[in-house]
Tab-separated table of all heavy atoms in Angstrom:
chain	number	residue	atom	x	y	z
A	189	CYS	N	-7.303	7.932	-21.278
A	189	CYS	CA	-7.640	9.051	-20.399
A	189	CYS	C	-7.313	8.661	-18.964
A	189	CYS	O	-8.024	7.854	-18.360
A	189	CYS	CB	-9.119	9.412	-20.546
A	189	CYS	SG	-9.550	10.032	-22.180
A	190	ASP	N	-6.244	9.227	-18.425
A	190	ASP	CA	-5.761	8.904	-17.092
A	190	ASP	C	-5.845	10.154	-16.213
A	190	ASP	O	-6.051	11.268	-16.700
A	190	ASP	CB	-4.335	8.387	-17.162
A	190	ASP	CG	-3.978	7.498	-15.981
A	190	ASP	OD1	-4.790	7.408	-15.044
A	190	ASP	OD2	-2.886	6.900	-15.993
A	191	MET	N	-5.640	9.963	-14.924
A	191	MET	CA	-5.821	11.031	-13.959
A	191	MET	C	-4.853	12.200	-14.177
A	191	MET	O	-5.271	13.354	-14.311
A	191	MET	CB	-5.664	10.467	-12.546
A	191	MET	CG	-5.842	11.486	-11.434
A	191	MET	SD	-7.514	12.157	-11.396
A	191	MET	CE	-7.413	13.209	-9.955
A	192	ASP	N	-3.567	11.918	-14.206
A	192	ASP	CA	-2.566	12.986	-14.308
A	192	ASP	C	-2.718	13.833	-15.560
A	192	ASP	O	-2.714	15.069	-15.474
A	192	ASP	CB	-1.152	12.400	-14.226
A	192	ASP	CG	-0.776	12.010	-12.809
A	192	ASP	OD1	-1.417	12.517	-11.865
A	192	ASP	OD2	0.152	11.202	-12.630
A	193	PRO	N	-2.852	13.233	-16.755
A	193	PRO	CA	-3.023	14.066	-17.950
A	193	PRO	C	-4.285	14.925	-17.918
A	193	PRO	O	-4.269	16.072	-18.375
A	193	PRO	CB	-3.079	13.041	-19.091
A	193	PRO	CG	-2.428	11.829	-18.565
A	193	PRO	CD	-2.730	11.807	-17.108
A	194	LEU	N	-5.379	14.380	-17.377
A	194	LEU	CA	-6.617	15.155	-17.317
A	194	LEU	C	-6.500	16.320	-16.352
A	194	LEU	O	-6.942	17.442	-16.653
A	194	LEU	CB	-7.783	14.243	-16.911
A	194	LEU	CG	-8.313	13.304	-18.004
A	194	LEU	CD1	-9.305	12.316	-17.420
A	194	LEU	CD2	-8.953	14.107	-19.127
A	195	MET	N	-5.910	16.093	-15.194
A	195	MET	CA	-5.746	17.172	-14.225
A	195	MET	C	-4.798	18.244	-14.758
A	195	MET	O	-4.951	19.428	-14.445
A	195	MET	CB	-5.224	16.623	-12.893
A	195	MET	CG	-6.193	15.713	-12.163
A	195	MET	SD	-7.824	16.438	-11.873
A	195	MET	CE	-7.402	17.831	-10.834
A	196	ALA	N	-3.834	17.856	-15.573
A	196	ALA	CA	-2.917	18.837	-16.153
A	196	ALA	C	-3.624	19.749	-17.149
A	196	ALA	O	-3.181	20.887	-17.374
A	196	ALA	CB	-1.764	18.111	-16.845
A	197	LEU	N	-4.737	19.287	-17.735
A	197	LEU	CA	-5.467	20.093	-18.709
A	197	LEU	C	-6.552	20.951	-18.084
A	197	LEU	O	-7.127	21.802	-18.765
A	197	LEU	CB	-6.109	19.181	-19.769
A	197	LEU	CG	-5.144	18.395	-20.665
A	197	LEU	CD1	-5.927	17.550	-21.654
A	197	LEU	CD2	-4.193	19.324	-21.391
A	198	SER	N	-6.840	20.723	-16.812
A	198	SER	CA	-7.876	21.512	-16.149
A	198	SER	C	-7.423	22.958	-15.972
A	198	SER	O	-6.272	23.234	-15.655
A	198	SER	CB	-8.217	20.899	-14.788
A	198	SER	OG	-9.124	21.713	-14.086
A	199	CYS	N	-8.363	23.881	-16.199
A	199	CYS	CA	-8.042	25.312	-16.084
A	199	CYS	C	-8.047	25.790	-14.635
A	199	CYS	O	-7.540	26.872	-14.345
A	199	CYS	CB	-9.052	26.142	-16.873
A	199	CYS	SG	-9.143	25.689	-18.601
A	200	ALA	N	-8.659	25.034	-13.754
A	200	ALA	CA	-8.745	25.433	-12.352
A	200	ALA	C	-8.194	24.310	-11.484
A	200	ALA	O	-8.503	23.134	-11.716
A	200	ALA	CB	-10.196	25.730	-11.963
A	201	PRO	N	-7.381	24.634	-10.497
A	201	PRO	CA	-6.853	23.589	-9.608
A	201	PRO	C	-7.971	22.978	-8.762
A	201	PRO	O	-8.922	23.663	-8.386
A	201	PRO	CB	-5.831	24.341	-8.749
A	201	PRO	CG	-6.285	25.769	-8.775
A	201	PRO	CD	-6.914	25.981	-10.115
A	202	ALA	N	-7.848	21.717	-8.477
A	202	ALA	CA	-8.840	21.017	-7.648
A	202	ALA	C	-8.097	20.102	-6.680
A	202	ALA	O	-8.171	18.871	-6.791
A	202	ALA	CB	-9.806	20.232	-8.517
A	203	PRO	N	-7.375	20.678	-5.727
A	203	PRO	CA	-6.544	19.857	-4.839
A	203	PRO	C	-7.354	18.881	-3.992
A	203	PRO	O	-6.896	17.762	-3.722
A	203	PRO	CB	-5.824	20.889	-3.971
A	203	PRO	CG	-6.667	22.119	-4.049
A	203	PRO	CD	-7.287	22.106	-5.407
A	204	ILE	N	-8.571	19.273	-3.573
A	204	ILE	CA	-9.373	18.382	-2.735
A	204	ILE	C	-9.834	17.165	-3.533
A	204	ILE	O	-9.694	16.018	-3.090
A	204	ILE	CB	-10.578	19.146	-2.147
A	204	ILE	CG1	-10.097	20.274	-1.225
A	204	ILE	CG2	-11.499	18.185	-1.394
A	204	ILE	CD1	-11.204	21.110	-0.649
A	205	THR	N	-10.375	17.413	-4.714
A	205	THR	CA	-10.826	16.309	-5.570
A	205	THR	C	-9.672	15.395	-5.930
A	205	THR	O	-9.789	14.159	-5.891
A	205	THR	CB	-11.463	16.868	-6.855
A	205	THR	OG1	-12.541	17.729	-6.514
A	205	THR	CG2	-11.969	15.740	-7.743
A	206	GLU	N	-8.527	15.991	-6.252
A	206	GLU	CA	-7.350	15.207	-6.617
A	206	GLU	C	-6.863	14.373	-5.436
A	206	GLU	O	-6.523	13.199	-5.591
A	206	GLU	CB	-6.242	16.153	-7.092
A	206	GLU	CG	-5.135	15.477	-7.857
A	206	GLU	CD	-4.196	16.476	-8.505
A	206	GLU	OE1	-4.459	17.694	-8.427
A	206	GLU	OE2	-3.182	16.030	-9.077
A	207	SER	N	-6.872	14.978	-4.244
A	207	SER	CA	-6.425	14.256	-3.049
A	207	SER	C	-7.352	13.096	-2.719
A	207	SER	O	-6.896	12.006	-2.361
A	207	SER	CB	-6.343	15.210	-1.857
A	207	SER	OG	-5.390	16.219	-2.086
A	208	ILE	N	-8.673	13.322	-2.847
A	208	ILE	CA	-9.641	12.267	-2.564
A	208	ILE	C	-9.438	11.094	-3.522
A	208	ILE	O	-9.423	9.927	-3.112
A	208	ILE	CB	-11.085	12.801	-2.675
A	208	ILE	CG1	-11.377	13.772	-1.515
A	208	ILE	CG2	-12.099	11.657	-2.671
A	208	ILE	CD1	-12.710	14.471	-1.630
A	209	PHE	N	-9.248	11.408	-4.798
A	209	PHE	CA	-9.076	10.352	-5.800
A	209	PHE	C	-7.818	9.539	-5.527
A	209	PHE	O	-7.853	8.304	-5.512
A	209	PHE	CB	-9.015	10.976	-7.196
A	209	PHE	CG	-8.948	9.958	-8.297
A	209	PHE	CD1	-10.117	9.468	-8.872
A	209	PHE	CD2	-7.736	9.489	-8.766
A	209	PHE	CE1	-10.063	8.524	-9.883
A	209	PHE	CE2	-7.670	8.547	-9.775
A	209	PHE	CZ	-8.834	8.066	-10.338
A	210	TYR	N	-6.696	10.222	-5.299
A	210	TYR	CA	-5.441	9.506	-5.086
A	210	TYR	C	-5.432	8.772	-3.749
A	210	TYR	O	-4.845	7.695	-3.630
A	210	TYR	CB	-4.259	10.469	-5.182
A	210	TYR	CG	-3.827	10.723	-6.597
A	210	TYR	CD1	-3.939	11.983	-7.167
A	210	TYR	CD2	-3.328	9.691	-7.385
A	210	TYR	CE1	-3.558	12.212	-8.476
A	210	TYR	CE2	-2.942	9.909	-8.689
A	210	TYR	CZ	-3.057	11.170	-9.235
A	210	TYR	OH	-2.680	11.389	-10.534
A	211	THR	N	-6.076	9.341	-2.737
A	211	THR	CA	-6.165	8.649	-1.444
A	211	THR	C	-6.971	7.375	-1.580
A	211	THR	O	-6.578	6.313	-1.062
A	211	THR	CB	-6.810	9.571	-0.397
A	211	THR	OG1	-6.017	10.745	-0.240
A	211	THR	CG2	-6.933	8.852	0.941
A	212	GLN	N	-8.084	7.463	-2.294
A	212	GLN	CA	-8.924	6.288	-2.497
A	212	GLN	C	-8.169	5.205	-3.260
A	212	GLN	O	-8.178	4.028	-2.868
A	212	GLN	CB	-10.182	6.694	-3.276
A	212	GLN	CG	-11.148	5.560	-3.540
A	212	GLN	CD	-12.419	6.043	-4.220
A	212	GLN	OE1	-12.815	7.189	-4.074
A	212	GLN	NE2	-13.055	5.167	-4.977
A	213	SER	N	-7.487	5.582	-4.339
A	213	SER	CA	-6.734	4.611	-5.129
A	213	SER	C	-5.597	3.995	-4.309
A	213	SER	O	-5.360	2.785	-4.373
A	213	SER	CB	-6.172	5.278	-6.387
A	213	SER	OG	-7.200	5.806	-7.188
A	214	SER	N	-4.896	4.829	-3.545
A	214	SER	CA	-3.779	4.342	-2.742
A	214	SER	C	-4.251	3.388	-1.649
A	214	SER	O	-3.583	2.389	-1.364
A	214	SER	CB	-3.018	5.516	-2.119
A	214	SER	OG	-2.464	6.344	-3.118
A	215	LEU	N	-5.405	3.696	-1.035
A	215	LEU	CA	-5.927	2.818	0.014
A	215	LEU	C	-6.296	1.443	-0.539
A	215	LEU	O	-6.036	0.417	0.100
A	215	LEU	CB	-7.147	3.463	0.679
A	215	LEU	CG	-6.857	4.644	1.617
A	215	LEU	CD1	-8.154	5.264	2.117
A	215	LEU	CD2	-5.998	4.205	2.800
A	216	VAL	N	-6.917	1.422	-1.720
A	216	VAL	CA	-7.265	0.147	-2.345
A	216	VAL	C	-6.002	-0.673	-2.594
A	216	VAL	O	-5.925	-1.862	-2.261
A	216	VAL	CB	-8.031	0.373	-3.665
A	216	VAL	CG1	-8.166	-0.934	-4.439
A	216	VAL	CG2	-9.406	0.958	-3.392
A	217	LEU	N	-4.990	-0.024	-3.173
A	217	LEU	CA	-3.735	-0.722	-3.450
A	217	LEU	C	-3.060	-1.186	-2.162
A	217	LEU	O	-2.599	-2.326	-2.065
A	217	LEU	CB	-2.788	0.193	-4.232
A	217	LEU	CG	-3.157	0.475	-5.690
A	217	LEU	CD1	-2.263	1.563	-6.258
A	217	LEU	CD2	-3.033	-0.783	-6.519
A	218	PHE	N	-3.012	-0.297	-1.174
A	218	PHE	CA	-2.294	-0.605	0.067
A	218	PHE	C	-2.950	-1.761	0.814
A	218	PHE	O	-2.269	-2.731	1.196
A	218	PHE	CB	-2.239	0.639	0.961
A	218	PHE	CG	-1.602	0.399	2.293
A	218	PHE	CD1	-0.221	0.305	2.415
A	218	PHE	CD2	-2.377	0.255	3.440
A	218	PHE	CE1	0.374	0.077	3.644
A	218	PHE	CE2	-1.789	0.024	4.672
A	218	PHE	CZ	-0.415	-0.054	4.774
A	219	PHE	N	-4.266	-1.679	1.041
A	219	PHE	CA	-4.931	-2.700	1.847
A	219	PHE	C	-4.968	-4.057	1.136
A	219	PHE	O	-4.822	-5.104	1.781
A	219	PHE	CB	-6.343	-2.258	2.219
A	219	PHE	CG	-6.377	-1.275	3.359
A	219	PHE	CD1	-6.768	0.034	3.154
A	219	PHE	CD2	-5.988	-1.653	4.639
A	219	PHE	CE1	-6.782	0.948	4.204
A	219	PHE	CE2	-6.004	-0.753	5.694
A	219	PHE	CZ	-6.396	0.557	5.467
A	220	THR	N	-5.158	-4.058	-0.176
A	220	THR	CA	-5.187	-5.339	-0.881
A	220	THR	C	-3.794	-5.986	-0.913
A	220	THR	O	-3.673	-7.191	-0.681
A	220	THR	CB	-5.727	-5.170	-2.313
A	220	THR	OG1	-5.005	-4.138	-2.994
A	220	THR	CG2	-7.209	-4.832	-2.289
Side-chain angles (χ1 to χ4, degrees):
C189 295
D190 205 352
M191 181 64 177
D192 284 340
L194 284 171
M195 294 306 298
L197 295 180
S198 175
C199 303
I204 297 178
T205 302
E206 197 170 356
S207 297
I208 290 173
F209 185 90
Y210 277 115
T211 300
Q212 181 176 333
S213 300
S214 298
L215 287 175
V216 170
L217 289 171
F218 176 77
F219 281 112
T220 52

